[in-house]
């Protein structure tokens, strides 16, 4: 598991019939797979272009943060997806979260849940993050969907991150189902994303809402929303709206939180 032969040919093999829908590059090292793919997208790279890296030297996280990973300890990749002209974009990152969660569950992994807007948790700790960046000026819209998943706790991970992080190697598995090799895992995630993105283009987030709510880690829980510039906002999580907005019951009534530029913390 988590090995070894992480090559373009091995990924194509693992993708089987879907290999023709993706154009995958595996880099030993790069700054950020999102940054690389954004550049390729701006010069016209087609939907389905994927860059995976064994190591990122400047991985990007949400809210301008860094994404910490260590060589071989994380699966880090980005997928370019071009959407039809009138496709909705709201809730895209939540739909991606649902696709990833379902793929892990299909691998027999228990304890996966979702934290708004786009974290994947394993037994309440962060297993994976999603960073979606829209390609500037692209019309119809195009999204670079970046995913970082901890396979093991990355060596040298800062202590504060370590406290809240999970790794796939810690997953509870249904009996007799071994964890997959990294290429197999990537292929499973890409396959799930492929199906989800096709559905999303037609039906938008409503097609994923129920599946998201079912996996919502903080439903009916007291939370705080922390922003860089705004005051913390306290309330009770009441799931998500039809467009992926978080519904928060606050002292001033129910509020719809649209901006992803906040972090949610359990109170
Ligand atoms: C988050 O902050 O939770 C989102 C993290 C997203 C990290 C991934 S790793 C692959 C891709 N390339 C990047 O530079 N970032 C994303």
């Amino acid at each position: 598991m988590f090995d070894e032969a992480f090559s373009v040919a091995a990924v194509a093999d693992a993708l089987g019939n879907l290999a023709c829908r993706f154009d995958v590059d595996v880099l030993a090292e790069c700054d950020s797979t999102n940054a690389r793919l954004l550049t390729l997208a701006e010069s016209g790279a087609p939907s389905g272009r994927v860059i995976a890296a064994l190591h990122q030297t400047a991985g990007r996280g949400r809210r301008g943060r860094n994404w910490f990973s260590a060589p071989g300890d994380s699966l880090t990749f980005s997928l370019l997806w071009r959407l039809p002209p009138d496709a909705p974009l709201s809730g895209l990152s939540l739909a991606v979260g649902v696709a990833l969660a379902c793929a892990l569950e299909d691998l027999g992994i228990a304890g996966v849940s979702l934290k708004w807007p786009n974290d994947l948790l394993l037994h309440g700790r962060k297993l994976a993050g999603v960073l979606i960046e829209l390609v500037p000026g692209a019309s119809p819209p195009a999204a670079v969907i970046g995913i970082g998943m901890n396979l093991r706790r990355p060596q040298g991970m800062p202590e504060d991150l370590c406290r809240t992080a999970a790794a796939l190697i810690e997953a509870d598995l249904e009996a007799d189902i071994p964890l997959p090799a990294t290429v197999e895992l990537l292929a499973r995630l890409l396959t799930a994303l492929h199906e989800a993105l096709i559905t999303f283009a037609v039906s938008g987030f409503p097609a994923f809402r129920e599946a998201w709510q079912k996996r919502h880690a903080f439903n009916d829980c007291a939370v705080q929303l922390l922003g860089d510039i705004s005051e913390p906002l306290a309330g009770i999580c009441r799931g998500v709206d039809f467009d992926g907005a978080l519904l928060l019951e606050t002292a001033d009534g129910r509020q719809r939180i649209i901006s992803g530029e906040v972090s949610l913390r359990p109170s």
Side-chain angles (χ1 to χ4, degrees):
M1 139 195 135
F2 307 155
D3 38 333
E4 73 308 303
F6 194 173
S7 65
V8 172
V11 178
D13 206 34
L15 279 167
N17 290 342
L18 273 188
C20 59
R21 302 298 178 98
F22 297 103
D23 176 6
V24 181
D25 245 351
V26 178
L27 307 178
E29 183 174 293
C30 77
D31 48 359
S32 148
T33 56
N34 263 36
R36 288 285 175 106
L37 201 48
L38 276 168
T39 306
L40 293 179
E42 286 180 284
S43 13
S47 220
R49 189 81 169 80
V50 175
I51 298 187
L54 301 182
H55 182 46
Q56 294 185 121
T57 53
R60 299 179 184 173
R62 286 180 57 237
R63 306 179 66 206
R65 298 194 172 133
N66 297 328
W67 177 258
F68 185 86
S69 62
D73 286 346
S74 310
L75 174 59
T76 50
F77 69 98
S78 302
L79 163 66
L80 170 63
W81 202 259
R82 296 191 180 271
L83 292 134
D86 48 0
L89 288 174
S90 55
L92 176 59
S93 65
L94 283 79
V96 164
V98 169
L100 300 177
C102 291
L104 294 180
E105 289 163 5
D106 286 349
L107 286 166
I109 294 169
V112 176
S113 61
L114 295 167
K115 177 180 160 193
W116 191 89
N118 45 12
D119 285 352
L120 235 78
L121 308 183
L122 181 68
H123 297 304
R125 291 165 166 240
K126 183 160 173 171
L127 175 69
V130 178
L131 176 68
I132 298 190
E133 298 185 84
L134 293 180
V135 179
S139 175
V144 167
I145 301 166
I147 291 155
M149 188 175 289
N150 299 326
L151 304 177
R152 306 176 189 83
R153 275 162 203 264
Q155 291 262 328
M157 184 179 239
E159 197 163 317
D160 55 327
L161 290 182
C162 225
R163 269 198 301 275
T164 55
L168 210 52
I169 200 164
E170 298 151 7
D172 292 334
L173 290 165
E174 284 170 13
D176 299 333
I177 304 180
L179 276 171
T182 315
V183 274
E184 177 65 26
L185 177 63
L186 174 60
R188 295 283 203 121
L189 299 180
L190 287 174
T191 301
L193 287 170
H194 183 264
E195 189 187 327
L197 290 165
I198 289 172
T199 303
F200 187 87
V202 177
S203 312
F205 181 66
F208 297 86
R209 186 175 175 214
E210 195 184 322
W212 198 93
Q213 310 258 52
K214 207 174 113 193
R215 296 170 176 81
H216 183 191
F218 297 108
N219 209 30
D220 296 331
C221 295
V223 298
Q224 282 212 322
L225 287 182
L226 309 175
D228 288 335
I229 42 172
S230 49
E231 288 294 305
L233 182 61
I236 309 287
C237 265
R238 300 294 189 208
V240 288
D241 217 343
F242 66 95
D243 57 354
L246 182 74
L247 298 172
L248 194 68
E249 204 79 57
T250 71
D252 299 324
R254 184 170 281 210
Q255 296 200 23
R256 277 171 39 86
I257 313 297
I258 300 165
S259 165
E261 293 308 301
V262 291
S263 286
L264 185 150
R265 298 270 179 279
S267 294

